[in-house]
Each structure stands twice: as structure tokens, then as C-alpha cells.
Amino acid sequence: MKVLTKHTDYAVRALISLGMKPDGWVSAKSVSDEQAIPYQFLRRIFQELIRSGLVASKEGAGGGVKLARDPYSIRVKDVIEIFQGEVQVSECMFRKQLCSNRANCVLRHEIMRIEQMVNEEFSKVTVGKLIGDLKRVGQMKNP
Amino acid sequence: MKVLTKHTDYAVRALISLGMKPDGWVSAKSVSDEQAIPYQFLRRIFQELIRSGLVASKEGAGGGVKLARDPYSIRVKDVIEIFQGEVQVSECMFRKQLCSNRANCVLRHEIMRIEQMVNEEFSKVTVGKLIGDLKRVGQMKNP
DNA sequence: TTAACTGATACTAAATTAGTATCAGAAAAC
DNA sequence: GTTTTCTGATACTAATTTAGTATCAGTTAA
Ligand code: FES
Ligand code: FES
């Protein structure tokens, strides 16, 4: 069971990459090279991030992308939601016909409790925090 | 983002169904009818559950399946692992070349912390507990 | 006017998930 | 002893999701 798809994975890494070069525009090409993400795939990921307002872009030579917001305001949860939709453990494990009182359903409670926890956890992790961690430990190659 | 697949969903519901009729063998057909799960699909799900030792089976007329263990010992986590493998948030968000010190990787820590929490939560929920909840609230049609 | 970019969108490939079909064999019922 | 009711095993197809590619139009700076 894998929770994060490549879309999310690449997107977070691309955002971190941008967050580490806060001045000026960065081309998708350079991020693609640096992070070894397939170029065209990354292009489309950026377009989503741009549409969602996390990333700003500038066309033409010398253009590129950069973070549109404070890295600490960009939560991994936001990225997941852009590419994978709302976290939901299961639509509804027990169908309506079996579960007359949906609002009070105890099973649903269990599931939603877990859902909420996952959401909270992914909300705590921001791009800014990840960059901070990386810098502190000094693991990422390109500074 | 959906965490549980139909396999897991159906399996848990089938296990609850069995757990509610603790005496004697129950045919896959009757569970299929009761829970509105495609028959052949359910057959294969039972075969997995049998192989994994959660369910016992008896061939021939009058045979069928039943829980092989105490319902309180069957965790939803076990079922997930049978059908969807280990819960893992992401293989490794930052590749080896970017992340020299895998053991100390801070990003990995975040991810594994979340992974562990999800696992713990799904470990707390057992078939027995779900049956207890259902009975207490009296929602499921067939007793 | 050319080179380096993004915007938009159509397309293909691979993997996973969901579901179906079939045949063999065991046990009970008749 | 043969018919019916069941599981064991396995092969197959369909649908959906995920991953990745390709192309062309348009913008900007040099
Ligand atoms: S399980 Fe869906 S409402 Fe109860
Ligand atoms: S992100 Fe994979 S080890 Fe650090």
C-alpha cells in the first residue's frame, strides 16, 4: 500500500528545490536535471502547482518558476490534495442498505478518526520545515 | 486518495459477517448475497484469507468457511497487509544520490512517523471490536 | 530573428485494481 | 452411486489509475 504517488513525490521535491533558490526564476529543465524527474512529467506537475497558486511562473527566455508563497505555508497535505484528492480511507465500508444511520455509524467513526489523524500529520509537514531539516542535516546535494 | 481497496473492504465485511455467525460453516454464496459482494471475487478473497490463516474452510456440501481465530485477534491492519501489502507512505522520497545518510534522514523520519501512526491506528481496530460496535448500535441488517 | 522559456492539450504505456469464468475434487444428501 | 453443494486452483478480461511522452502555440530576452 503506497500512500504517495510519483506526482506528489516529485511535486514536493520540486517545491523544496525551488524553496532553496528563493531569488529569481528557475527553469523546469534545471529542476528536472537536478532532481532526476522526467522533464515533460515535471512540466505538467508545475502547471498544476501554478494553477493551484503554490508556484508562480514567467514565460519566455530568462523565465521559469518560483515559489509563490512562503515555504512554511505550503503543507504536504496541500500537495497531496492537488494530485491525489482528499485523503479518504474508504468511501463507505458498509453500504447504505447495511448502515441506516450514517451519521452515527461507529465504523465510520473509526475510519474518520484515522483519516483525520493522517490529515493532521500531513498538515504539520511543510515545505519550509523540510528545507529546514535538510539544511540542518546537510543532505541534499545542490544547495 | 483512497487508502483501502475493494479487496480489503470486502474482506473486512466478510470477516464481520462470519464473526456474527460463530457456529458452523457458512457458504461463500450466502456471504456474497448478504453483503452484495460479487461471488467469484469474494471466493478469491476467502482463499487469501484461508491461506493467511484467518479463515478456516471445509469442502463439499454442508461445508463453507468460518473464522479460524478469535475476532478480537483479527486486526484490520492484518487484512490490509494481506491484500495491499505493508503500509508505506513513499518508497523514499529523496533518492539515494540526494540522500547520503539514509538512516539519519530527517524527511524519512517524518514519513515513517506517519506510517507508524497509521499502522498503530489500523492495529487498534479489530473485527471483534467492529462487531461489538455494530451490535451495540444495531445497524447491520442480518444479525 | 532566434533561443529559452511556459501554456495547453493530446496521446501512449505500464501498473494496479476489479471482476469473470472454468474445471477439478470433496463431502453430504438422495 | 450419482447428483448437488460446496471449496481449491488458476487463467482470463475489463476498468481505472498512475506514469510518462510528444507536439504546437505563444511569450520574452538577448
Ligand atoms: S459504514 Fe458507511 S455509514 Fe456506516
Ligand atoms: S528521503 Fe530517502 S533516505 Fe532521505
Side-chain angles (χ1 to χ4, degrees), chain A residues 90-96 98-109 111, chain B residues 13 134 139:
Chain A
S90 176
E91 286 282 325
C92 171
M93 204 176 248
F94 298 82
R95 313 261 178 75
K96 279 167 204 159
L98 294 175
C99 199
S100 50
N101 191 354
R102 212 182 130 95
N104 292 342
C105 174
V106 197
L107 305 170
R108 193 152 186 81
H109 280 172
I111 284 174
Chain B
R13 285 164 52 200
L134 273 174
Q139 283 172 336

Side-chain angles (χ1 to χ4, degrees), chain A residues 12-69:
Chain A
V12 173
R13 285 164 52 199
L15 289 168
I16 290 176
S17 190
L18 294 188
M20 290 179 118
K21 317 184 190 61
D23 339 302
W25 304 100
V26 180
S27 74
K29 180 74 173 55
S30 69
V31 177
S32 158
D33 289 347
E34 180 191 309
Q35 300 280 353
I37 301 171
Y39 174 66
Q40 295 295 353
F41 199 12
L42 180 60
R43 287 286 317 279
R44 285 192 3 208
I45 287 169
F46 272 138
Q47 294 196 348
E48 283 290 322
L49 293 172
I50 291 159
R51 256 174 239 134
S52 308
L54 304 192
V55 164
S57 68
K58 191 190 168 203
E59 284 180 275
V65 290
K66 65 177 175 185
L67 290 192
R69 294 170 24 186

